[in-house]
Amino acid sequence: MASGKTGPVAGVRRVREARGVRGDRGAGAVRGVRGIGGLLRAEARAYMLLVRVAFREAAQYRTSLALRSLTEAAATVLDLAAIGIVFAHLSALEGFSLAEVAFLYGTSALAFALAEAFVGPVDRLGWHIRDGRFDVVLIRPVSVLVQTATMAFSPQRVARVAQPAVIVVVSCLALHVHWTPDRVLLVPAMVLCGAVLAASAFVATAAVLFVAPDATVAVAASTQGSALAARYPMTVYGHHLALLLTVVLPIGFVSWLPALHVLSRPDPLGLPTALRFASPLVAAVAVGLAALAWRAGVRRYRSTGS
Amino acid sequence: MTVAAAAHPPGALAELRGWVAVAAASARANVAYRATVAASVLSNVTLTVLRGYLALAVWEAQPGLAGYDTRRAVTFVVLGQALMTTFAAFGGMIDVPGRVENGGIVIDVARPFGFLRWWLAREIGRAAVFLVSRAVPAGAVGVALFGVVLPASGAAAAGFAVSLVFALLVSFGIRYLVALTAFWVTDARGTLAVSSLTMTFFSGAVLPLTIFPGAFGEVARVLPFGAIVQVPMDIYLRPAGGTGIGQALAFQAAWALVLLGASGLLTRLALRRVVTQGG
Amino acid sequence: MTAPGQEPTPPRQRRPPPDAPTGGLTSGDLTPAGLAPAGLAPAGLAGASAGPGSEIVIEAERVRKTFVQRRRIAGQRLRRERIDVHAVRDVSFTVRAGEIIGYLGPNGAGKSTTIKMLIGVLTPSAGRLRVAGLDPAHQRIALARRIGVVFGQRSTLWWDLPLRDSFELVRHLYRVPPGQFRANLARFVEMLDLGPFLDTPVRQLSLGQRMRGDLTAAFLHDPSIVYLDEPTIGLDVVSKAAVRAFLAEKNREQATTIMLTTHDTADIEQLCQRVLVIDHGRLGFDGDLATLRERLGGERTLVVDLAAPMPPLTVATPGAHVIRVDGPRQWLAFPARASAAPLVAEIAARYPLVDLAIREPPIEDVITRLYTTGPEPRPAAEPAAN
């Protein structure tokens, strides 16, 4: 309905629109837009184009980019140091061995880093609304989400996937697990679903900024919070909070539940084992909800102009 | 009132009124958007709860880590989180770069209220709002959920209160100096990123500085960043009859003095640059 | 001071009697003759497509936009009251392909809100809106490909990249075929003299250069409708002239429909065949400039050159009087609504008249009057606001 053309929900209508255009404007304007697949391809092309532009823009300020890249590297080192310092003093946490905790930490951090790399800048939405740049977004023939996810895109953030990826590999090597094919396959699958879940969470929380454009820090803090919550065994948070974080907020589906299968452990919360394989389904639902939230946000912006 | 007026030259009174006006305006601006305040309170409480539970689990697995028992460790983490938001230990929040970019800096410079004073007064107003709206709710949740310990002595409580003022001055000094770099570099995001990382990590907000091993820990504990979270928490958690509160406060005060002095100096250089180069 | 003979402005050929109904709300017919200031023909004159037969491209029917504001009630700390702010109230108009429309009104009158609804940034609270056959609120992206937008105060270019890169990007985003892109860019570079700064990052451009870049970006995909929000604001005289010449040319060449908001009266005089005036969210006037002048009254000036210097003329025509004498030349003011013919006839009969010219009231005066007094109240077409 409104223009937050995100995800498959909005796809059908967009295609209809595109056909309407083709009727009287010639094929040139809508070349390649055929069906939902074509639509997604078109959006993906626009996304890649805008990301390339962001790289070129960042390259204009070499010192700043160098500093930020160095910071990113230093952050990785310090982060590893922090983990190292904590783990150096621990042999186990909540009954999970060091390697098991590292596996949980790595897979969830990798999922969040991937989400951050793809849609991280959506949390700048508030700034764009405040200083009026968002109106410029709405006059371009590209979906609002693609544009918002690529404005103020920081290239060096992409490097953030390196550190958790290393932790995943190292922890997998250290785990005492019988690596059956299903376990091997589950590792990349859980990271992928986790990334989709995290990206949905980013987009859904950023949609709050349509209502409260100044809440950038709060939105960043909430994504930080979910990243933090996903990193450790859920039982750390006590039974009730753990249930809340697993079932109500689907943070447990990022890595905790599938990891239980990989580590072949009983669920301390006593949840059905089927849930360990439910991440793709949950991720799909999350995408739909995020799309709804985002579209509601765009609609609200367009009716209030705030 | 009359006493104050008699004791100080009228200029000082006007000066004070200026500070109050700027701080009050900044405070009002920080509560203007209710949805924003609500979202911030909620996310801050959530982070506090998560970090509190995490600390609980870590210290139960390894009691006495970093020299704290479990309750003190949770106190450190919960209140540290509150201090971190109030004193912006994650850097930024002083928007000189934005003002330079959009040209508003000219207005700031032309204002008959010193540039440094303007930003410091605004920061006091912001911190006051954050203390009430972010730190207090998070602290209350901490008390309710984790049984946060109270200061062991009146001296510790009073020292903690004073140390909060110094923590704000040190935090402001660092962030202000970083923000001023916008006068010299076209894109201040780089310096901002470096400062943000350094401040967060070495303030004690991520991990207590007492946990850092060897020379690394030695260095971390003399840097100014610890004055923002670590030192106030040290004073707060000092056992009854414990000494060294004065020393800790002196450490903060010295850094506050150095940083504000440097801020004044750099402000003069920056403004001279605006005058000669037109921003 | 120019001699009357040098001013080509002829006395008006046709002029309705003062009491005849003047251009009403729906009058789309244009009477541009006599409007042209010295040396500048209104751009749209050559764009013959703006005739009454051409296709309707914008249709607004009782469009309304209401914002809800919450304000703290004085004296009460916590309760807030809801206030409906009517930014645009029941605005109706149609625009035909090839028209150049000036959209005028004081600050906060509802101009930007209207434009934002027309480009699909804002959704109308009520009413019907069709632009290029599409519903802007629901078909934003399809519409975006056919329109161009220029914000005078906000660049759509990429701040940190060379100007050329922004155009490249527009090409991809709007899917402009390569041939069309090359041809358009080459032509715009020539028309707007972009060559010297094509490779300069946008942040280093002057305001005038940036605006020329923004214009190019808005026209690269050959939009059929272009909206400009204060396109000449803050520009120097040369840049303003470049912008106007470009708009006039694009309108003439491709019958591009152009709608612009502006506070610059020269923009209106030199470009707009038709003006819409909005105030307090209501459309108060829709017609050509001449009609607007008539509606608002004020005085026109008749400049006469006599055979010899004379004392101030005494004329019997009602309302006419001499306001200035300089040698053989005299200036007479007369009501703008009245025809000049009786006055001219009287002077020609009684005095040695050599030459004459008629000056319209400066558009500044018209606009000032408009904003201070408001246009004439419209007959009750207003439904009860709910």
Side-chain angles (χ1 to χ4, degrees), chain B residues 4 151 154 178 203 234 251 269:
Chain B
V178 170
S203 67
D234 275 348
F251 170 78
L269 290 177

Side-chain angles (χ1 to χ4, degrees), chain C residues 3 12 21 32 36 44 48-49 81 148 167 176 231 247 301 310 315 335 338 367 377 382:
Chain C
R12 205 166 291 226
S49 54
E81 59 182 339
F167 298 152
V176 186
L247 293 177
T301 310
M310 288 183 73
V315 287
I367 301 291
E382 206 62 48

Side-chain angles (χ1 to χ4, degrees), chain B residues 87-157:
Chain B
F87 301 130
F90 38 76
M93 309 285 274
I94 296 176
D95 195 29
V96 175
R99 300 290 286 176
V100 171
E101 200 181 306
N102 67 23
I105 201 76
V106 180
I107 302 168
D108 296 339
V109 171
R111 215 175 264 118
F113 190 78
F115 190 79
L116 169 62
R117 270 178 269 178
W118 166 257
W119 289 102
L120 181 53
R122 283 172 59 96
E123 183 61 12
I124 291 171
R126 183 202 63 76
V129 170
F130 272 53
L131 187 70
V132 174
S133 67
R134 271 66 151 185
V136 170
V141 169
V143 171
L145 277 181
F146 305 111
V148 160
V149 298
L150 293 175
S153 64

Side-chain angles (χ1 to χ4, degrees), chain B residues 17-239:
Chain B
R17 285 208 183 110
W19 279 85
V20 171
V22 176
S26 161
R28 273 198 303 276
N30 272 291
V31 293
Y33 300 100
R34 290 172 178 221
T36 302
V37 176
S40 305
V41 170
L42 188 68
S43 65
N44 198 40
V45 166
T46 312
L47 271 180
T48 305
V49 171
L50 292 177
R51 299 195 62 200
Y53 273 116
L54 193 58
L56 217 55
V58 169
W59 262 269
E60 265 162 17
Q62 191 68 43
L65 182 63
Y68 300 116
D69 62 30
T70 307
R71 273 189 76 197
R72 286 164 167 270
V74 174
T75 305
F76 187 101
V77 167
V78 167
L79 294 190
Q81 169 74 20
L83 295 185
M84 179 167 102
T85 33
T86 305
F87 301 130
F90 38 76
M93 309 285 274
I94 296 176
D95 195 29
V96 175
R99 300 290 286 176
V100 171
E101 200 181 306
N102 67 23
I105 201 76
V106 180
I107 302 168
D108 296 339
V109 171
R111 215 175 264 118
F113 190 78
F115 190 79
L116 169 62
R117 270 178 269 178
W118 166 257
W119 289 102
L120 181 53
R122 283 172 59 96
E123 183 61 12
I124 291 171
R126 183 202 63 76
V129 170
F130 272 53
L131 187 70
V132 174
S133 67
R134 271 66 151 185
V136 170
V141 169
V143 171
L145 277 181
F146 305 111
V148 160
V149 298
L150 293 175
S153 64
F160 178 66
V162 176
S163 80
L164 292 184
V165 175
F166 287 130
L168 178 63
L169 291 179
V170 169
S171 161
F172 169 80
I174 298 168
R175 288 177 293 130
Y176 179 79
L177 285 172
V178 170
L180 281 191
T181 59
F183 283 95
W184 286 273
V185 299
T186 33
D187 180 10
R189 281 177 297 177
T191 45
L192 207 68
V194 173
S195 73
S196 169
L197 172 74
T198 322
M199 267 180 95
T200 316
F201 194 79
F202 291 106
S203 67
V206 178
L207 290 172
L209 298 185
T210 43
I211 209 175
F212 291 176
F216 185 57
E218 297 290 322
V219 173
R221 287 187 284 271
V222 295
L223 292 175
F225 313 107
I228 302 168
V229 174
Q230 181 71 42
V231 175
M233 286 318 299
D234 275 348
I235 296 176
Y236 184 97
L237 292 173
R238 200 156 300 260

Side-chain angles (χ1 to χ4, degrees), chain A residues 150-211:
Chain A
T150 51
M151 281 168 88
F153 187 94
S154 313
Q156 79 282 355
R157 283 192 179 199
V158 177
R160 280 190 197 174
V161 298
Q163 177 227 354
V166 168
I167 296 182
V168 171
V169 171
V170 171
S171 66
C172 281
L173 294 176
L175 283 175
H176 297 290
V177 162
H178 178 56
W179 286 104
T180 52
D182 57 314
R183 294 211 171 91
V184 173
L185 275 177
L186 192 55
V187 175
M190 68 190 267
V191 168
L192 196 71
C193 291
V196 172
L197 262 171
S200 306
F202 283 12
V203 171
T205 35
V208 171
L209 296 170
F210 284 111
V211 182

Side-chain angles (χ1 to χ4, degrees), chain A:
Chain A
M1 168 160 190
S3 81
K5 314 290 188 193
T6 64
V9 185
V12 180
R13 189 179 300 274
R14 276 283 292 293
V15 174
R16 229 182 288 140
E17 276 177 29
R19 292 223 173 97
V21 182
R22 196 184 317 165
D24 49 13
R25 181 72 183 181
V30 287
R31 206 180 308 142
V33 180
R34 283 216 175 78
I36 290 173
L39 178 82
L40 287 179
R41 266 202 302 282
E43 293 296 352
R45 246 205 322 273
Y47 180 87
M48 289 316 294
L49 180 72
L50 290 170
V51 166
R52 269 209 304 280
V53 169
F55 272 86
R56 241 184 304 160
E57 280 187 296
Q60 300 282 319
Y61 302 100
R62 289 180 194 282
T63 324
S64 175
L65 182 63
L67 268 178
R68 283 185 287 158
S69 305
L70 271 177
T71 311
E72 213 57 62
T76 306
V77 171
L78 286 182
D79 210 16
L80 277 174
I83 303 164
I85 288 170
V86 173
F87 285 169
H89 295 277
L90 289 175
S91 48
L93 188 65
E94 293 286 318
F96 286 81
S97 76
L98 193 54
E100 286 173 325
V101 175
F103 178 74
L104 261 178
Y105 185 100
T107 46
S108 71
L110 182 57
F112 273 89
L114 282 170
E116 169 89 26
F118 278 102
V119 299
V122 288
D123 67 6
R124 310 289 169 87
L125 173 69
W127 302 355
H128 304 323
I129 290 177
R130 271 273 160 263
D131 67 15
R133 254 176 299 174
F134 193 67
D135 285 341
V136 176
V137 166
L138 282 171
I139 66 172
R140 295 201 182 111
V142 174
S143 83
V144 175
L145 182 61
V146 165
Q147 289 187 74
T148 324
T150 51
M151 281 168 88
F153 187 94
S154 313
Q156 79 282 355
R157 283 192 179 199
V158 177
R160 280 190 197 174
V161 298
Q163 177 227 354
V166 168
I167 296 182
V168 171
V169 171
V170 171
S171 66
C172 281
L173 294 176
L175 283 175
H176 297 290
V177 162
H178 178 56
W179 286 104
T180 52
D182 57 314
R183 294 211 171 91
V184 173
L185 275 177
L186 192 55
V187 175
M190 68 190 267
V191 168
L192 196 71
C193 291
V196 172
L197 262 171
S200 306
F202 283 12
V203 171
T205 35
V208 171
L209 296 170
F210 284 111
V211 182
D214 291 286
T216 309
V217 175
V219 164
S222 79
T223 49
Q224 224 181 303
S226 34
L228 178 69
R231 282 181 184 180
Y232 299 95
M234 281 293 160
T235 43
V236 159
Y237 304 110
H239 189 77
H240 296 290
L241 190 57
L243 271 179
L244 180 82
L245 290 174
T246 313
V247 184
V248 183
L249 301 171
I251 293 171
F253 289 92
V254 173
S255 63
W256 166 248
L257 285 167
L260 288 177
H261 179 74
V262 174
L263 306 174
S264 49
R265 277 180 163 272
D267 190 334
L269 301 173
L271 294 170
T273 44
L275 286 184
R276 298 174 179 192
F277 309 100
S279 292
L281 198 70
V282 176
V285 172
V287 166
L289 290 177
L292 283 179
W294 184 260
R295 272 152 41 93
V298 175
R299 203 176 312 134
R300 189 194 139 94
Y301 176 85
R302 297 166 90 207
S303 64
T304 59
S306 65

